[in-house]
Amino acid sequence: DMLKDDKEFGEYMTEKVCDSCGGHRLKPESLTVRTGGKTIAEIIDMPIEECYAFFHNEENFADLSEQQRMIAAPILKEIQERLFFLYDVGLGYLTLGRDARTISGGEAQRIRIASQIGSGLTGVMYVLDEPSIGLHERDTQKLIRTLKSLQKKGNSVIVVEHDKETIEAADFIVDIGPGAGK
C-alpha cells in the first residue's frame, strides 16, 4: 500500500491491490477461463519471451475441437506475431501485465517500434532517439534487425544514436557536434 498526496484536493489517496482480482483488473468470471491450462492472469504475468513460447506450443491447445481450432487460428497467429515483435526489439523480459507507469522511455519507444512493424505501413519516416539505450548487446542486434526490417518494407529510419554497433549498421551517418567528422 502506498499513500500519495493529492495536492489538487488536499487529500490522501490510498492505492491498494484488489483482493478479488489480485490487481489484474478483471472480473472473477474472466479469471476462471483457461487457455492451454492457464488463466489470462497467469499468461500476462509471464515474461514476453515465455509467453511467446507458450503460444507457439501446439500441445497447449491440443484439447480444442476442430471448430475451436478454426476460430482460434487467426487469433493465435496475431498473438504470436505481436509477441515476436516485442521480443525482437529486446523486450522479452517484460510482462504483458506490467504497469505502464513503470516502463522506461526506451522501453516505450521499442513498444511503439514493435507495433509499427505489425501495422505493415510503408512509406513512413521513423525518427528514433537512442532506441538501443539500456539494451544488452544481444538485444541491440535484435533491434538492428527490426530497424532494417522496417526499412526493407519501404520506410525511412532515422536514428539518433551513440551506440557504436547501431551506428556501424547504418547505411548513412551524419556526425554532428564538437569533434564531429572522425
Side-chain angles (χ1 to χ4, degrees):
D1 292 359
M2 211 163 71
L3 286 179
K4 292 185 179 178
D5 187 8
D6 186 344
K7 297 188 189 308
E8 185 177 343
F9 299 104
E11 300 173 9
Y12 286 94
M13 214 169 68
T14 303
E15 195 172 295
K16 184 182 175 203
V17 175
C18 172
D19 293 331
S20 298
C21 71
H24 289 100
R25 299 181 200 107
L26 294 168
K27 294 183 203 177
E29 302 83 41
S30 300
L31 291 169
T32 62
V33 176
R34 293 188 172 273
T35 301
K38 295 195 179 292
T39 67
I40 190 168
E42 293 170 322
I43 291 169
I44 65 172
D45 285 343
M46 290 181 193
I48 288 169
E49 185 171 3
E50 189 178 321
C51 198
Y52 176 73
F54 171 80
F55 280 101
H56 255 78
N57 186 346
E58 291 183 20
E59 290 177 19
N60 290 328
F61 308 98
D63 61 338
L64 296 179
S65 69
E66 191 61 37
Q67 182 183 15
Q68 289 171 326
R69 284 179 197 269
M70 287 178 56
I71 293 167
I75 298 165
L76 289 172
K77 182 177 183 280
E78 183 74 18
I79 290 170
Q80 291 166 351
E81 285 177 359
R82 289 177 184 255
L83 289 170
F84 177 75
F85 297 146
L86 289 167
Y87 170 76
D88 210 37
V89 294
L91 296 173
Y93 60 91
L94 287 180
T95 63
L96 296 174
R98 175 103 172 246
D99 188 333
R101 296 173 296 181
T102 67
I103 292 176
S104 74
E107 289 168 337
Q109 182 172 233
R110 290 192 297 276
I111 289 168
R112 289 191 296 273
I113 292 168
S115 68
Q116 289 300 308
I117 293 168
S119 74
L121 289 174
T122 60
V124 176
M125 178 174 37
Y126 295 96
V127 181
L128 307 170
D129 184 17
E130 296 191 85
S132 70
I133 200 157
L135 283 180
H136 186 278
E137 187 178 321
R138 68 176 150 59
D139 291 329
T140 299
Q141 278 300 316
K142 290 179 196 169
L143 177 65
I144 290 168
R145 279 194 310 273
T146 301
L147 297 176
K148 293 269 186 197
S149 75
L150 271 176
Q151 179 193 30
K152 286 176 187 167
K153 291 181 178 185
N155 300 297
S156 298
V157 181
I158 299 171
V159 179
V160 177
E161 189 59 81
H162 294 95
D163 176 69
K164 183 180 179 192
E165 191 174 7
T166 307
I167 292 169
E168 288 174 342
D171 293 331
F172 301 96
I173 300 171
V174 178
D175 195 1
I176 301 172
K182 287 186 180 179

